[in-house]
Amino acid sequence: MTLLDLHEGDSAVIQSINMDQLPKQMLTELLELGFFPGAEIRLKTKSKYLGKLICSLGETTIGLRMKDGEAILLKTK
């Protein structure tokens, strides 16, 4: 399951990030924001119109491009 597959309001735990799908700069930004294996993430909103996933990671709300969400692999709790 990826972040893109998560339903609005659902939470999961980050299992890994597919480094082959992201540019190095984006991978660095995700790690700086706390996208580490074991971190809990919740999908707040999925906007196909804007192509964005709005999610919360800890106390932080983050907007990601949908294609970047495909690279974030999750496991459900």
Side-chain angles (χ1 to χ4, degrees), residues 2 16-19 21-22 66-73:
T2 70
S16 64
I17 297 175
N18 187 342
M19 294 186 286
Q21 287 184 260
L22 296 173
M66 286 191 171
K67 71 177 192 174
D68 294 334
E70 290 180 310
I72 300 170
L73 306 176

Side-chain angles (χ1 to χ4, degrees), residues 3-5 7-8 11 13 15 18-19 21 26 29-31 36 39-40 43 48 52-54 56 62 67 72:
L3 181 57
L4 190 58
D5 300 321
H7 295 105
E8 291 182 2
S11 297
V13 175
Q15 185 172 20
N18 187 342
M19 294 186 286
Q21 287 184 260
M26 184 62 189
E29 289 177 19
L30 289 176
L31 293 174
F36 288 102
E40 183 174 332
L43 180 63
K48 290 183 180 180
K52 296 287 183 184
L53 301 168
I54 308 300
S56 59
I62 301 161
K67 71 177 192 174
I72 300 170

Side-chain angles (χ1 to χ4, degrees), residues 54-65:
I54 308 300
C55 46
S56 59
L57 187 69
E59 300 294 322
T60 305
T61 299
I62 301 161
L64 295 172
R65 294 176 294 187

Side-chain angles (χ1 to χ4, degrees), residues 23-39:
K24 185 177 179 182
Q25 181 179 0
M26 184 62 189
L27 179 61
T28 300
E29 289 177 19
L30 289 176
L31 293 174
E32 289 175 349
L33 290 169
F35 281 74
F36 288 102

